[in-house]
Amino acid sequence: MITAFFRTAILYLLLIVGIRLTGKRQIGELEPIELVLTMLLSDLASVPMQDFGIPLVNGVIPIVTLLSMSMLLSCFSLHSVRFRALICGKPAIIIQDGKLQQAAMRHNRLTLDELFEELRSQGVTDIKDVKYAILETGGQLSVLLHTAAQPATPRQLGLYCEDDVFLPTIIISDGHLLTDNLLRSGHDHIWLQAQLAKKGVRSPSQVFLLTADERGETICIVKDTVK
């Protein structure tokens, strides 16, 4: 039992480290080479977890080899456009100026049902409104609408709008004070205690969320158990 626990824990941690090294892509955004890597890793890890007759090193070596090859191919792809196109493929224009590119659809085996499903998911119901629809190498469909079909922006209407987009910094997360974020936001512990006092609490452990942005605007949410 103890052997099974440690073998599983070692392989699990190894896979986490490996996936972290390969990047932060979501499953739906994986390139073909990354998808194959993920599938192989799951199979390789499951065998030594279940079969104790196989030495653990026999399961670790293939995993490390695959991760190393994946990182090596990623480096080649980074420095060579031709190699990247060979491994990952190229984006394909599916709709151009409101017209379906049937040859591109056949080449990528994209059906009309799949295409219209993707368009509907992005709020598009008329292909004539589409300037370009591009099938990316990760399988996503990027849709660029004609200017007349896009929501009007203040710039297009000739209106001036003050920039009110600011990135909030999380200072307290579920009762945990993030000291680095507090200092990075330009505040100190005196300011923090003042914010807590406004909510009638004394300790960061009583706060579920506290954020501050560049304008000085703060959001402070006290834990339900404190109310």
Side-chain angles (χ1 to χ4, degrees), residues 188-198 201-204:
D188 53 21
H189 285 81
I190 297 177
W191 173 89
L192 176 61
Q193 290 300 324
Q195 298 302 315
L196 297 180
K198 291 179 181 179
V201 295
R202 299 181 178 179
S203 171

Side-chain angles (χ1 to χ4, degrees), residues 3-146:
T3 302
F5 171 79
F6 281 108
R7 287 169 66 97
T8 302
I10 291 173
L11 291 170
Y12 178 67
L13 293 175
L14 178 61
L15 289 177
I16 290 179
V17 172
I19 296 299
R20 288 284 292 134
L21 290 176
T22 57
K24 293 186 176 181
R25 292 180 183 269
Q26 297 178 358
I27 296 300
E29 300 174 346
L30 292 178
E31 298 288 355
I33 185 174
E34 296 168 332
L35 180 59
V36 171
L37 173 66
T38 303
M39 296 172 62
L40 289 176
L41 287 179
S42 63
D43 287 337
L44 288 174
S46 63
V47 175
M49 284 183 185
Q50 301 174 7
D51 191 349
F52 298 157
I54 300 177
L56 183 59
V57 68
N58 290 354
V60 172
I61 291 178
I63 292 176
V64 173
T65 301
L66 280 177
L67 292 174
S68 300
M69 290 182 61
S70 176
M71 296 184 65
L72 185 63
L73 291 177
S74 296
C75 292
F76 286 154
S77 298
L78 183 64
H79 295 92
S80 174
V81 176
R82 292 183 177 180
F83 185 79
R84 182 164 63 248
L86 177 64
I87 296 297
C88 301
K90 296 181 179 179
I93 298 178
I94 304 300
I95 300 177
Q96 184 172 1
D97 288 324
K99 297 180 181 179
L100 293 174
Q101 306 300 305
Q102 299 181 33
M105 292 183 63
R106 286 193 297 268
H107 178 74
N108 290 277
R109 295 177 294 281
L110 180 67
T111 66
L112 286 171
D113 292 336
E114 293 171 334
L115 173 61
F116 280 99
E117 180 181 350
E118 289 290 336
L119 292 176
R120 289 193 300 270
S121 68
Q122 301 192 40
V124 179
T125 57
D126 190 347
I127 63 174
K128 294 180 181 179
D129 293 336
V130 180
K131 177 70 174 181
Y132 295 106
I134 304 171
L135 186 64
E136 307 292 355
T137 57
Q140 305 84 28
L141 188 71
S142 299
V143 179
L144 306 177
L145 300 177
H146 286 283

